[in-house]
Amino acid sequence: MRKIRVATVVLLGCLIALALLPLVAEKYYIQLFTKMMLMAIFAMSLDLLVGYTGLVSLGHAAFFGLAGYALAFAAPQYQAANLWLSLPLAMAGSAALALVIGALVLRTSGIYFIMVTLAFAQMVFFLFHDTKIAGGADGIYVYAKPVAAIAGWEPFSLENHTHFYFVVLLLLALVYALLRVLLASPFGRVIVGIRVNEQRMRSLGYRTFRYKLACFVLSGALAGMAGYFAAAQFGFVSPDTLGWHQSGGVLMMVILGGMGTLNGAILGAFTMMLLELGFQGLPAVGEVDIGKHWQLLMGGFIVCAVLLLPHGLLGLGRLVSPRPETGSD
Amino acid sequence: MTEAVLRTERLTKHFGGLAAVSDVSLGFFIDQIHAVIGPNGAGKTTLTNLVSGELASTSGHIYLDGEDITGLSADRISQRGVGRSYQKTNIFLPFTAFENCRLAAQSRLPSSMRFIRPALRYDNVSREALRALVEVGLEHRAQAPAATLSHGEQRQLEIAMTLATRPRILLLDEPLAGMGGEESARMVELLQKLKQAHAMLLVEHDMDAVFALADRLTVMVNGNVLESGTPEQIRASAAVQEAYLGTEDAHA
Amino acid sequence: MDANTFLIQVLNGIQYGLLLFLVASGLTLILGIMGIINLAHGSFYMVGAYLAFSLSQHFGSLWLAIAGGAVLAVAIGLLLEWLLISRLYHRDHLYQVLLTYGLILVFEELRSVVFGDDVHGVAVPALLQASIPLTDTLSYPVYRLWMSAVCVALAIGMYLLIQKTRLGMIIRAGSTNREMVQSLGINIDLLYRLVFALGVALAAFAGMIAAPVASVFPGMGNQVLIVCFVVVVIGGIGSVKGAMLAAILIGLVDTFCKVLTLEIGGVAVLPEISGMMIYVLMAVVLLARPEGLFGKRG
């Protein structure tokens, strides 16, 4: 009981700190944190699959990137898209893609599942890379941020970076709360049961395929939400947005933080992005520009993390006070 | 006699060239423990897997309440009232005993595509789960993670999960495996209580328990039914003496 | 498309397929025998290509470069298995994915540090520079034929290894069961190390012989890796035979989709979406046989 309260206090503390950040931080940091929170939403959506349902997807960026492209389509040239219209549309697009890909990949499991999710994401990559539908390999610009107008009234403007920040913070909190509710629901219990022992779930009478597919679609839609706002913030979408480095990166965030916890996904996203920034800022050593070759350090860091942190960053805390998984959290 | 809850008709399963189960026709009735015995490799577990839908039969039919359920998937067969327990304990180790049963009971909601209300607030489901725990005498361990239960308690939990799905027929694959004397006695008592409301297929190696419990016995050898009848008939059967019981006694 | 062009495309397709086989066979063996999913497998292909590039400049001969490169590749394989991969056998696939993903970043960035990000060409050895004329205007380079021949020779070598040796016996059993293998009196740690090194060597060798045709460039490894995943998925995990069939199939499909033109309702489909076609093929196989053409169910 005490443990849960500590976690809640820490979470609330973080939320308040994030809410106060724009008062003290410069524009650069506000935008940086906006980006980090978007990646945290993306990572949580993947955590639902990897950490809770036990489906290791290496193609999650496809849903992230597709929604970005959807925004680009919805905002042709210099016209801004309507947020209330284009956001649901983009998320529905990602969900639809997840439905199609999920129906295929969920026929496999284990190692196959990893390879097949990667391969189908690559297929989407080539769709945008090789054809002219959205600028090909060069990508496409989103010139204007979506407008949040309802019948002429505009409650906030995404062109304002502080407004953008608060919208994303709100979404982060909403998605977190939504997933917490979901995980406590009968559906949430079923997907965790599937991760622990899918065969037994079937023999108890659950049609596990349906639950996995529903989870895949929901996760795809949430990744789409993150991708939509990331495209809006960055003003640009390219095939790399849905490339496999993006998928690998977000998987790393989930696992680094500690999967199956949601908190871990957020922690992982923030840590990875700050690390990236830290590595990029390193000075040259001799002739080698370390900052430019930051991926070298990141790769080495990932290798070390796998070997040394079997339960992610949150697992470090658990070393101090072990906590059995009771299925009631 | 009343109609069988579950009936197999010339049920056959081939693995490659090997007939693991061939031409098995049996009936299972309420208030009757039907034990299936036989040496290792006789096809008892395969038969259980065929009935529960975890294996697809090569030929033959399975009828539940007179309805053909051959070829249905395991989840559908479970939904129609066939509950099974496993030879190797097959539970959700990280969850509490209660959550194991709650998940089992939850499977009887019309659908678990329910996303909002907390699972614990489905009172009927929780009540069913608790009832199943009480039935096997495990209610005092409800909040213990399944992984921390003793082997005997895990076996009990396995049965409780099956009961929480309110099955009409129980397929129990060696429920006494690895149990101590006292635990065994409790389980035997439980099974006797359960048979009043359930049809039961019992696969078991413990011959004392089998003859104490079974109302009907089927002896399988090499996938075939060697003999099927009352315990007295089986005891008296020369074929069984020769093929199975004799050697088993020699072992013991 | 006339008969000669068709012939050339068939040869190209088969040659590409055979090259894929070299990389994919190692991948599928490491998966099937060791139960390790190795994302860095494509990096070994890239390492091979860059070794061919740098060593052939150093030695002035591609032959010496290939010989030296092969030795280095085996050494890299042994070292990596000992240092990193051997720590993953009892871990979830997830961690295998991550660690080998980390390795990709390391290899790719080391490549960038040492060789820069430019595309480099590797000269075809003088001995094989000729072309076989097919018509007045069309000819086929001898080097590509040689590549195919070498791949076939290696494939036959693997076939013999798998069919005739004790190592092969275990590979055929497709066993990741340590007890079973150890009961046969085989040192499993050594077996795994050898299989991994063999896989690395095959991938690197493919990269080396491909270098004169495909040139060497950043990201080349990942491109091959993902195609090889498709090969393994279609062929079935652990099946070398399946990898061969799937690799040739994909080689041909990819090659022909790139040269054919197809319009549906006035919209250009091929070669526009030729990059997607192998994934479509994979989707079809998944629908029909989720375990792959030669895979075991489970």
PDB file of all heavy atoms in Angstrom, chain C residues 37 52 63 66 68 70-71 74 88 97 121 135 150 160-161 163 172 195 200 217 223-224 236 253 265:
ATOM      1  N   ILE C  37      17.595 -14.455 -32.409  1.00  0.00           N
ATOM      2  CA  ILE C  37      17.228 -13.579 -33.515  1.00  0.00           C
ATOM      3  C   ILE C  37      18.284 -12.487 -33.608  1.00  0.00           C
ATOM      4  O   ILE C  37      18.486 -11.723 -32.679  1.00  0.00           O
ATOM      5  CB  ILE C  37      15.805 -13.018 -33.361  1.00  0.00           C
ATOM      6  CG1 ILE C  37      15.507 -12.035 -34.471  1.00  0.00           C
ATOM      7  CG2 ILE C  37      15.564 -12.389 -32.007  1.00  0.00           C
ATOM      8  CD1 ILE C  37      14.046 -11.750 -34.649  1.00  0.00           C
ATOM      9  N   ALA C  52      36.089  -6.036 -48.188  1.00  0.00           N
ATOM     10  CA  ALA C  52      36.515  -6.243 -49.577  1.00  0.00           C
ATOM     11  C   ALA C  52      37.042  -4.945 -50.153  1.00  0.00           C
ATOM     12  O   ALA C  52      38.076  -4.915 -50.825  1.00  0.00           O
ATOM     13  CB  ALA C  52      35.347  -6.764 -50.405  1.00  0.00           C
ATOM     14  N   TRP C  63      41.047 -11.123 -54.592  1.00  0.00           N
ATOM     15  CA  TRP C  63      41.182 -12.517 -54.109  1.00  0.00           C
ATOM     16  C   TRP C  63      41.798 -12.544 -52.725  1.00  0.00           C
ATOM     17  O   TRP C  63      41.295 -13.200 -51.829  1.00  0.00           O
ATOM     18  CB  TRP C  63      42.048 -13.341 -55.067  1.00  0.00           C
ATOM     19  CG  TRP C  63      41.534 -13.299 -56.476  1.00  0.00           C
ATOM     20  CD1 TRP C  63      42.186 -12.833 -57.569  1.00  0.00           C
ATOM     21  CD2 TRP C  63      40.247 -13.735 -56.944  1.00  0.00           C
ATOM     22  NE1 TRP C  63      41.402 -12.922 -58.703  1.00  0.00           N
ATOM     23  CE2 TRP C  63      40.210 -13.480 -58.328  1.00  0.00           C
ATOM     24  CE3 TRP C  63      39.129 -14.282 -56.313  1.00  0.00           C
ATOM     25  CZ2 TRP C  63      39.090 -13.780 -59.109  1.00  0.00           C
ATOM     26  CZ3 TRP C  63      38.025 -14.584 -57.086  1.00  0.00           C
ATOM     27  CH2 TRP C  63      38.020 -14.326 -58.467  1.00  0.00           C
ATOM     28  N   ILE C  66      39.356 -11.218 -50.203  1.00  0.00           N
ATOM     29  CA  ILE C  66      38.319 -12.165 -49.807  1.00  0.00           C
ATOM     30  C   ILE C  66      38.886 -13.184 -48.822  1.00  0.00           C
ATOM     31  O   ILE C  66      38.251 -13.503 -47.796  1.00  0.00           O
ATOM     32  CB  ILE C  66      37.724 -12.865 -51.041  1.00  0.00           C
ATOM     33  CG1 ILE C  66      36.854 -11.867 -51.818  1.00  0.00           C
ATOM     34  CG2 ILE C  66      36.895 -14.081 -50.635  1.00  0.00           C
ATOM     35  CD1 ILE C  66      36.234 -12.423 -53.072  1.00  0.00           C
ATOM     36  N   GLY C  68      41.532 -12.848 -46.803  1.00  0.00           N
ATOM     37  CA  GLY C  68      41.773 -12.182 -45.521  1.00  0.00           C
ATOM     38  C   GLY C  68      40.473 -11.827 -44.832  1.00  0.00           C
ATOM     39  O   GLY C  68      40.318 -12.009 -43.615  1.00  0.00           O
ATOM     40  N   ALA C  70      37.574 -13.291 -45.064  1.00  0.00           N
ATOM     41  CA  ALA C  70      36.882 -14.466 -44.534  1.00  0.00           C
ATOM     42  C   ALA C  70      37.444 -14.839 -43.170  1.00  0.00           C
ATOM     43  O   ALA C  70      36.694 -15.126 -42.235  1.00  0.00           O
ATOM     44  CB  ALA C  70      37.004 -15.640 -45.513  1.00  0.00           C
ATOM     45  N   VAL C  71      38.767 -14.801 -43.068  1.00  0.00           N
ATOM     46  CA  VAL C  71      39.399 -15.122 -41.786  1.00  0.00           C
ATOM     47  C   VAL C  71      38.960 -14.128 -40.717  1.00  0.00           C
ATOM     48  O   VAL C  71      38.583 -14.500 -39.600  1.00  0.00           O
ATOM     49  CB  VAL C  71      40.945 -15.113 -41.928  1.00  0.00           C
ATOM     50  CG1 VAL C  71      41.601 -15.267 -40.566  1.00  0.00           C
ATOM     51  CG2 VAL C  71      41.390 -16.204 -42.884  1.00  0.00           C
ATOM     52  N   VAL C  74      35.305 -14.747 -39.589  1.00  0.00           N
ATOM     53  CA  VAL C  74      35.182 -15.854 -38.637  1.00  0.00           C
ATOM     54  C   VAL C  74      35.630 -15.390 -37.248  1.00  0.00           C
ATOM     55  O   VAL C  74      34.965 -15.660 -36.233  1.00  0.00           O
ATOM     56  CB  VAL C  74      36.009 -17.069 -39.097  1.00  0.00           C
ATOM     57  CG1 VAL C  74      36.078 -18.108 -37.986  1.00  0.00           C
ATOM     58  CG2 VAL C  74      35.397 -17.676 -40.349  1.00  0.00           C
ATOM     59  N   LEU C  88      22.930 -14.344 -24.178  1.00  0.00           N
ATOM     60  CA  LEU C  88      21.519 -14.132 -24.518  1.00  0.00           C
ATOM     61  C   LEU C  88      20.717 -15.423 -24.611  1.00  0.00           C
ATOM     62  O   LEU C  88      19.512 -15.396 -24.816  1.00  0.00           O
ATOM     63  CB  LEU C  88      21.412 -13.418 -25.880  1.00  0.00           C
ATOM     64  CG  LEU C  88      21.918 -11.989 -25.922  1.00  0.00           C
ATOM     65  CD1 LEU C  88      21.885 -11.463 -27.343  1.00  0.00           C
ATOM     66  CD2 LEU C  88      21.063 -11.108 -25.027  1.00  0.00           C
ATOM     67  N   VAL C  97      16.730  -9.000 -29.580  1.00  0.00           N
ATOM     68  CA  VAL C  97      16.443  -7.945 -30.552  1.00  0.00           C
ATOM     69  C   VAL C  97      17.191  -6.673 -30.175  1.00  0.00           C
ATOM     70  O   VAL C  97      17.836  -6.047 -31.012  1.00  0.00           O
ATOM     71  CB  VAL C  97      14.919  -7.672 -30.601  1.00  0.00           C
ATOM     72  CG1 VAL C  97      14.632  -6.368 -31.311  1.00  0.00           C
ATOM     73  CG2 VAL C  97      14.195  -8.812 -31.278  1.00  0.00           C
ATOM     74  N   GLY C 121      33.182   2.160 -54.955  1.00  0.00           N
ATOM     75  CA  GLY C 121      33.144   1.043 -55.888  1.00  0.00           C
ATOM     76  C   GLY C 121      34.314   0.104 -55.617  1.00  0.00           C
ATOM     77  O   GLY C 121      35.312   0.487 -55.033  1.00  0.00           O
ATOM     78  N   THR C 135      23.743 -10.917 -77.793  1.00  0.00           N
ATOM     79  CA  THR C 135      23.399 -10.426 -79.137  1.00  0.00           C
ATOM     80  C   THR C 135      24.382  -9.311 -79.436  1.00  0.00           C
ATOM     81  O   THR C 135      25.356  -9.126 -78.693  1.00  0.00           O
ATOM     82  CB  THR C 135      21.966  -9.857 -79.158  1.00  0.00           C
ATOM     83  OG1 THR C 135      21.938  -8.721 -78.290  1.00  0.00           O
ATOM     84  CG2 THR C 135      20.958 -10.895 -78.707  1.00  0.00           C
ATOM     85  N   VAL C 150      29.890 -19.607 -57.384  1.00  0.00           N
ATOM     86  CA  VAL C 150      30.437 -19.715 -56.021  1.00  0.00           C
ATOM     87  C   VAL C 150      29.328 -19.968 -55.008  1.00  0.00           C
ATOM     88  O   VAL C 150      29.452 -20.803 -54.109  1.00  0.00           O
ATOM     89  CB  VAL C 150      31.211 -18.428 -55.655  1.00  0.00           C
ATOM     90  CG1 VAL C 150      31.597 -18.433 -54.196  1.00  0.00           C
ATOM     91  CG2 VAL C 150      32.442 -18.305 -56.530  1.00  0.00           C
ATOM     92  N   LEU C 160      26.113 -30.831 -48.032  1.00  0.00           N
ATOM     93  CA  LEU C 160      26.920 -31.971 -47.584  1.00  0.00           C
ATOM     94  C   LEU C 160      27.150 -31.901 -46.078  1.00  0.00           C
ATOM     95  O   LEU C 160      27.031 -32.901 -45.371  1.00  0.00           O
ATOM     96  CB  LEU C 160      28.254 -31.994 -48.330  1.00  0.00           C
ATOM     97  CG  LEU C 160      28.140 -32.307 -49.824  1.00  0.00           C
ATOM     98  CD1 LEU C 160      29.498 -32.226 -50.496  1.00  0.00           C
ATOM     99  CD2 LEU C 160      27.530 -33.689 -50.031  1.00  0.00           C
ATOM    100  N   LEU C 161      27.459 -30.689 -45.624  1.00  0.00           N
ATOM    101  CA  LEU C 161      27.695 -30.509 -44.187  1.00  0.00           C
ATOM    102  C   LEU C 161      26.478 -30.949 -43.379  1.00  0.00           C
ATOM    103  O   LEU C 161      26.584 -31.626 -42.360  1.00  0.00           O
ATOM    104  CB  LEU C 161      27.999 -29.030 -43.905  1.00  0.00           C
ATOM    105  CG  LEU C 161      28.200 -28.646 -42.441  1.00  0.00           C
ATOM    106  CD1 LEU C 161      29.618 -28.973 -42.019  1.00  0.00           C
ATOM    107  CD2 LEU C 161      27.907 -27.175 -42.222  1.00  0.00           C
ATOM    108  N   GLN C 163      23.908 -32.906 -44.426  1.00  0.00           N
ATOM    109  CA  GLN C 163      23.467 -34.293 -44.641  1.00  0.00           C
ATOM    110  C   GLN C 163      24.469 -35.324 -44.138  1.00  0.00           C
ATOM    111  O   GLN C 163      24.089 -36.414 -43.735  1.00  0.00           O
ATOM    112  CB  GLN C 163      23.199 -34.538 -46.143  1.00  0.00           C
ATOM    113  CG  GLN C 163      22.042 -33.748 -46.703  1.00  0.00           C
ATOM    114  CD  GLN C 163      20.710 -34.121 -46.070  1.00  0.00           C
ATOM    115  OE1 GLN C 163      20.462 -35.276 -45.722  1.00  0.00           O
ATOM    116  NE2 GLN C 163      19.838 -33.133 -45.895  1.00  0.00           N
ATOM    117  N   ARG C 172      19.970 -30.854 -38.488  1.00  0.00           N
ATOM    118  CA  ARG C 172      18.741 -31.420 -39.036  1.00  0.00           C
ATOM    119  C   ARG C 172      17.714 -31.671 -37.942  1.00  0.00           C
ATOM    120  O   ARG C 172      16.516 -31.529 -38.161  1.00  0.00           O
ATOM    121  CB  ARG C 172      19.026 -32.734 -39.782  1.00  0.00           C
ATOM    122  CG  ARG C 172      19.310 -32.510 -41.261  1.00  0.00           C
ATOM    123  CD  ARG C 172      19.540 -33.822 -41.941  1.00  0.00           C
ATOM    124  NE  ARG C 172      20.791 -34.407 -41.463  1.00  0.00           N
ATOM    125  CZ  ARG C 172      20.966 -35.719 -41.311  1.00  0.00           C
ATOM    126  NH1 ARG C 172      19.997 -36.565 -41.587  1.00  0.00           N
ATOM    127  NH2 ARG C 172      22.122 -36.181 -40.886  1.00  0.00           N
ATOM    128  N   VAL C 195      28.489 -22.377 -35.125  1.00  0.00           N
ATOM    129  CA  VAL C 195      27.354 -22.038 -35.987  1.00  0.00           C
ATOM    130  C   VAL C 195      27.275 -20.532 -36.178  1.00  0.00           C
ATOM    131  O   VAL C 195      27.074 -20.044 -37.292  1.00  0.00           O
ATOM    132  CB  VAL C 195      26.032 -22.578 -35.392  1.00  0.00           C
ATOM    133  CG1 VAL C 195      24.830 -21.995 -36.120  1.00  0.00           C
ATOM    134  CG2 VAL C 195      25.994 -24.098 -35.467  1.00  0.00           C
ATOM    135  N   VAL C 200      28.137 -15.712 -39.611  1.00  0.00           N
ATOM    136  CA  VAL C 200      28.799 -14.428 -39.841  1.00  0.00           C
ATOM    137  C   VAL C 200      29.672 -14.504 -41.091  1.00  0.00           C
ATOM    138  O   VAL C 200      29.650 -13.616 -41.948  1.00  0.00           O
ATOM    139  CB  VAL C 200      29.669 -14.026 -38.627  1.00  0.00           C
ATOM    140  CG1 VAL C 200      30.493 -12.787 -38.934  1.00  0.00           C
ATOM    141  CG2 VAL C 200      28.789 -13.788 -37.414  1.00  0.00           C
ATOM    142  N   PHE C 217      27.990   0.908 -49.646  1.00  0.00           N
ATOM    143  CA  PHE C 217      27.334   2.157 -49.278  1.00  0.00           C
ATOM    144  C   PHE C 217      26.687   2.023 -47.897  1.00  0.00           C
ATOM    145  O   PHE C 217      26.384   0.920 -47.444  1.00  0.00           O
ATOM    146  CB  PHE C 217      26.288   2.544 -50.315  1.00  0.00           C
ATOM    147  CG  PHE C 217      25.273   1.468 -50.588  1.00  0.00           C
ATOM    148  CD1 PHE C 217      24.072   1.446 -49.899  1.00  0.00           C
ATOM    149  CD2 PHE C 217      25.519   0.462 -51.532  1.00  0.00           C
ATOM    150  CE1 PHE C 217      23.137   0.464 -50.144  1.00  0.00           C
ATOM    151  CE2 PHE C 217      24.586  -0.526 -51.783  1.00  0.00           C
ATOM    152  CZ  PHE C 217      23.387  -0.519 -51.075  1.00  0.00           C
ATOM    153  N   GLN C 223      19.282  -3.144 -45.419  1.00  0.00           N
ATOM    154  CA  GLN C 223      18.467  -3.448 -46.578  1.00  0.00           C
ATOM    155  C   GLN C 223      18.426  -4.968 -46.790  1.00  0.00           C
ATOM    156  O   GLN C 223      17.367  -5.549 -46.964  1.00  0.00           O
ATOM    157  CB  GLN C 223      19.110  -2.773 -47.781  1.00  0.00           C
ATOM    158  CG  GLN C 223      18.179  -2.346 -48.845  1.00  0.00           C
ATOM    159  CD  GLN C 223      18.958  -1.631 -49.931  1.00  0.00           C
ATOM    160  OE1 GLN C 223      19.950  -0.940 -49.687  1.00  0.00           O
ATOM    161  NE2 GLN C 223      18.538  -1.816 -51.151  1.00  0.00           N
ATOM    162  N   VAL C 224      19.584  -5.581 -46.748  1.00  0.00           N
ATOM    163  CA  VAL C 224      19.676  -7.024 -46.956  1.00  0.00           C
ATOM    164  C   VAL C 224      19.021  -7.776 -45.810  1.00  0.00           C
ATOM    165  O   VAL C 224      18.310  -8.760 -46.010  1.00  0.00           O
ATOM    166  CB  VAL C 224      21.152  -7.450 -47.099  1.00  0.00           C
ATOM    167  CG1 VAL C 224      21.304  -8.951 -46.911  1.00  0.00           C
ATOM    168  CG2 VAL C 224      21.669  -7.037 -48.453  1.00  0.00           C
ATOM    169  N   GLY C 236      10.655 -20.737 -43.738  1.00  0.00           N
ATOM    170  CA  GLY C 236      10.448 -21.465 -42.474  1.00  0.00           C
ATOM    171  C   GLY C 236      11.721 -21.430 -41.652  1.00  0.00           C
ATOM    172  O   GLY C 236      12.804 -21.722 -42.164  1.00  0.00           O
ATOM    173  N   VAL C 253      11.240 -12.561 -58.153  1.00  0.00           N
ATOM    174  CA  VAL C 253      10.102 -11.642 -58.031  1.00  0.00           C
ATOM    175  C   VAL C 253      10.602 -10.204 -58.002  1.00  0.00           C
ATOM    176  O   VAL C 253      10.111  -9.330 -58.727  1.00  0.00           O
ATOM    177  CB  VAL C 253       9.286 -11.948 -56.748  1.00  0.00           C
ATOM    178  CG1 VAL C 253       8.337 -10.803 -56.424  1.00  0.00           C
ATOM    179  CG2 VAL C 253       8.518 -13.243 -56.904  1.00  0.00           C
ATOM    180  N   GLY C 265      -5.766   0.752 -64.467  1.00  0.00           N
ATOM    181  CA  GLY C 265      -6.643   1.932 -64.555  1.00  0.00           C
ATOM    182  C   GLY C 265      -5.870   3.217 -64.736  1.00  0.00           C
ATOM    183  O   GLY C 265      -6.223   4.225 -64.166  1.00  0.00           O
TER     184      GLY C 265
END
